[in-house]
């Protein structure tokens, strides 16, 4: 294998991996049957409280509930829930239930906008009476000039005024096409 194709591997040995969080271990001294994980301490405290409060219910069973409690404390010494310790996993579930349904955007709850109807309309315009009159006015204006003196459309400058009142021109592109078709074709 050449140096160019060699795979480089990096490893990080953090203190958390070398020394997991446990309670009851100081140097070489250990609590009897310890050290205890936070999950074991939570089960021991919660279970002990429950056993003390419900002693009238289970006292007829003898030591069976106490043995079950001790075995439960022992069983949770290294549990994993989806590869995680139980307290962070429980915290993750609580936070998941606490999240808004749509999630968060920028730290705020993401909400959908309220539904509103989408309405629209359209207008179908027919050939207006102004279109034939405009075509007749254009023919009148173009006949007012001799053929050799008609102003070019691309030349800037003042245009001669029409002899009559200002006529309405077609407004939309479709109306202009219809007016051209009414005149007999293109320019």
């Amino acid at each position: 294998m050449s140096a160019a194709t060699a795979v480089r591997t990096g490893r990080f040995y953090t203190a958390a991996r070398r020394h997991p969080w446990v309670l009851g271990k100081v140097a070489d001294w250990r609590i009897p049957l310890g050290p205890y994980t936070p999950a074991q301490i939570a089960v021991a405290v919660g279970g002990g409280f429950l056993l003390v409060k419900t002693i009238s219910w289970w006292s007829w069973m003898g030591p069976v509930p106490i043995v079950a409690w001790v075995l439960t404390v022992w069983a949770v010494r290294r549990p994993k829930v989806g590869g995680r310790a139980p307290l962070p996993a429980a915290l993750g579930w609580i936070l998941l239930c606490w999240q808004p349904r749509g999630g968060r955007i920028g730290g705020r709850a993401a909400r959908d906008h309220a539904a509103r109807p989408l309405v629209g309309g359209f207008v179908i315009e027919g050939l207006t009476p102004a279109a034939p009159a405009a075509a007749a006015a254009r023919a009148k204006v173009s006949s007012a000039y001799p053929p050799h003196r008609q102003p070019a459309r691309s030349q800037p400058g003042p245009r001669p005024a029409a002899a009559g009142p200002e006529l309405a021109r077609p407004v939309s592109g479709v109306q202009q096409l219809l007016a051209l078709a009414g005149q007999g074709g293109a320019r």
Side-chain angles (χ1 to χ4, degrees):
M1 190 186 254
S2 69
T5 61
V7 177
R8 301 174 93 187
T9 303
R11 290 187 176 90
F12 297 92
Y13 298 99
T14 62
R17 290 186 181 274
R18 286 180 287 163
H19 304 288
W21 186 45
V22 292
L23 301 172
K25 182 178 181 182
V26 177
D28 289 335
W29 180 80
R30 296 168 73 171
I31 292 178
L33 303 174
Y36 300 104
T37 63
Q40 285 178 300
I41 293 170
V43 169
V45 170
F49 179 76
L50 186 69
L51 285 175
V52 168
K53 290 296 183 180
T54 61
I55 196 166
S56 62
W57 296 353
W58 60 266
S59 62
W60 61 270
M61 287 191 245
V64 174
I66 295 172
V67 170
W69 173 54
V70 170
L71 286 175
T72 305
V73 170
W74 175 80
V76 296
R77 70 191 183 286
R78 288 192 186 119
K80 296 290 180 188
V81 178
R84 298 172 69 189
L87 289 180
L91 180 65
W93 280 103
I94 290 169
L95 291 176
L96 179 67
C97 293
W98 192 15
Q99 287 289 331
R101 178 174 285 176
R104 293 187 182 275
I105 297 175
R108 297 157 103 190
R111 306 223 186 273
D112 289 334
H113 295 290
R116 56 181 185 248
L118 179 64
V119 295
F122 59 93
V123 177
I124 299 176
E125 297 178 357
L127 186 62
T128 61
R138 272 192 223 119
K140 184 190 259 186
V141 168
S142 65
S143 64
Y145 293 102
H148 64 280
R149 294 204 49 208
Q150 284 188 353
R153 293 185 183 256
S154 62
Q155 292 178 351
R159 298 177 118 188
E166 192 70 31
L167 296 174
R169 298 190 67 214
V171 179
S172 71
V174 174
Q175 288 177 340
Q176 291 175 358
L177 288 174
L178 288 172
L180 282 175
Q183 290 177 8
R187 301 176 208 190

